[in-house]
Structures are given as C-alpha cells and as structure tokens.
C-alpha cells in the first residue's frame, strides 16, 4: 500500500498541482479544517491564498486516502505554523513540505524530515548578482565559475531554501558542482520552465510523483475517485 511504504521510511511521495492561479471551488473548502480556512484569510494576495488552499486540499486528500488504509480515526493532519503540517498515521508520523510558485504547488511527503522547493526557471535574470546577495562569498564565487550558471544557481537556491525549511541553513554548501545539505541527499529536476529541488533522508530510496488536477481533486472529494492508485507504491 502506498502509505505503508511512506510510513516505513523507504519512499516519498511528491504531489504536483499546476492550476493554483484559480481558487478552489467553494464546495471544496468544507473539507478543510476551520483553522486552515482562518489562516487562509491572512494572505492578502488572491494567488497566495489560492496556493495555500490548494496545498491543504492536496494534503487533506492524502489524509483521507490514508484513513481508508489505516481506519478513519487513525489518520489526521496536524498544522504546525509556520512549519509545514505533519500527517499522523496510526502511531507514526509522515513529514510534509510545501512549496509554491505561480500556478504550481508541490507537496512532498516522507516518514523522514524532508523539504521541497519549486521555482520558475528564469535564466534571463541577473543571477550572478543574485548569487552575491543570497550566498556566502565563497559559494557565490564557485557558482559564478560554473559553466551553466542558471542551472547551478537554481539548484543552489532550491537546496538553500530546503535547508532553511529543515532548520539547517548553515549546513548548506556547494561542493564539486552540486548543492549539499549535511545529512540529506538532494534531488533536482528542470522541466517545462520550472526548477524543483528536494532534500530527502538517505534512507528514502524512491520518490513517486503524482500530478493532480482540479478536476481529479473535485472527483475525489465528491465521489472518492482514487488519486493514488497509480503511484506505483502498492
């Protein structure tokens, strides 16, 4: 079962949503916790509020799917602002990490502490100047020597953001053309104008990605249509 492997520690699940430019339908908001709805009102920009609400619907869908596996009373979502929520599955916990940019929302789930960052890949920006502002002088100098500065910068920036989310910004470094966070392994991917970086425990041997749509989420909440059966973790 998908959540058995996640809670067992050897797998992680990455949920990807690409329609956050539009807010969720009002009928879906009833599936969120009152505290989540209240927190959403703190976001003044409509897109930021939309990103937050979709991320919680994605995580709530994961909780409901886990509840079907473990029993309804054994799977709950625990908010820990400003950190990402934790999913309590039976006697164990699943860590989550949430990242958003534009219409994209990524949610990473793992039995071990984890982090994810998604950014719009924009090589036309003054990245050498950004590197000098964002990183130590040593890291900035190393990045500016890379043959492909845009790829190097976005990998480094995403990994640094992950280190911050993990509470380990001082354990980030750039070594031999790759980002490093002590005690974690880094996965990165560039596709269709986006950069994604994830920090995972070395114990996690596989990451399964599921792309969710607004229609799929609405069908799931309305009729219980499976979202995770094709994840390859069963």
């Amino acid at each position: 079962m998908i959540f058995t492997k996640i809670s067992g520690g050897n797998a992680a699940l990455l949920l990807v949503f690409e329609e956050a430019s539009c807010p969720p339908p009002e009928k879906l908001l009833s599936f969120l916790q009152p505290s989540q709805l209240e927190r959403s009102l703190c976001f003044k920009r409509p897109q930021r509020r939309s990103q937050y609400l979709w991320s919680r619907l994605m995580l709530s869908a994961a909780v409901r799917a886990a509840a079907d596996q473990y029993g309804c009373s054994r799977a709950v979502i625990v908010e820990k602002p400003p950190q990402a929520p934790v999913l309590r599955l039976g006697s164990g916990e699943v860590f989550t990490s949430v990242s958003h940019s534009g219409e994209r929302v990524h949610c990473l789930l793992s039995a071990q502490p984890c982090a994810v960052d998604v950014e719009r890949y924009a090589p036309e920006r003054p990245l050498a100047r950004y590197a000098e502002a964002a990183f130590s002088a040593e890291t900035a100098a190393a990045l500016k020597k890379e043959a492909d500065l845009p790829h190097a910068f976005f990998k480094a920036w995403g990994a640094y953001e992950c280190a911050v989310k993990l509470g380990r910004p001082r354990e980030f470094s750039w070594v031999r053309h790759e980002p490093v966070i002590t005690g974690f392994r880094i996965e990165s991917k560039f596709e269709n104008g986006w950069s994604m970086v994830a920090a995972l425990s070395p114990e996690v041997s596989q990451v399964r990605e599921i792309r969710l749509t607004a229609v799929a989420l609405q069908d799931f909440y309305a009729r219980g249509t499976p979202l995770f059966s094709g994840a390859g973790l069963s």
Side-chain angles (χ1 to χ4, degrees), residues 70-229:
Y70 286 103
C72 290
S73 63
R74 300 186 64 199
V76 296
I77 182 169
V78 181
E79 292 282 351
K80 294 187 173 184
Q83 282 78 38
V86 167
L87 309 186
R88 291 211 174 125
L89 308 180
S91 59
E93 288 188 337
V94 170
F95 294 89
T96 75
S97 181
V98 178
S99 184
H100 45 75
S101 178
E103 66 271 22
R104 281 220 176 192
V105 179
H106 287 204
C107 296
L108 183 63
L109 288 71
S110 174
Q112 308 294 332
C114 61
V116 66
D117 183 70
V118 61
E119 304 284 346
R120 191 180 295 279
Y121 182 64
E124 73 280 2
R125 294 177 182 173
L127 300 180
R129 194 174 75 214
Y130 287 1
E132 292 173 352
F135 302 113
S136 67
E138 180 182 2
T139 298
L143 288 173
K144 288 191 287 185
K145 292 178 182 177
E146 294 289 343
D148 189 338
L149 174 58
H151 267 65
F153 175 85
F154 280 98
K155 286 174 72 173
W157 178 253
Y160 179 73
E161 285 287 291
C162 287
V164 170
K165 291 179 179 182
L166 291 165
R168 302 186 177 197
R170 294 185 178 181
E171 296 181 38
F172 163 82
S173 59
W174 184 262
V175 181
R176 296 176 184 172
H177 314 293
E178 294 292 337
V180 173
I181 302 173
T182 305
F184 291 83
R185 69 180 184 86
I186 306 297
E187 288 197 2
S188 61
K189 181 166 67 173
F190 294 85
E191 63 171 12
N192 301 324
W194 294 93
S195 165
M196 190 280 293
V197 178
L200 299 152
S201 165
E203 299 174 17
V204 175
S205 60
Q206 56 180 323
V207 179
R208 297 296 183 179
E209 179 179 315
I210 300 179
R211 293 180 179 268
L212 301 178
T213 65
V215 169
L217 283 167
Q218 290 181 72
D219 286 347
F220 173 80
Y221 282 108
R223 293 183 285 275
T225 306
L227 284 175
F228 305 111
S229 58

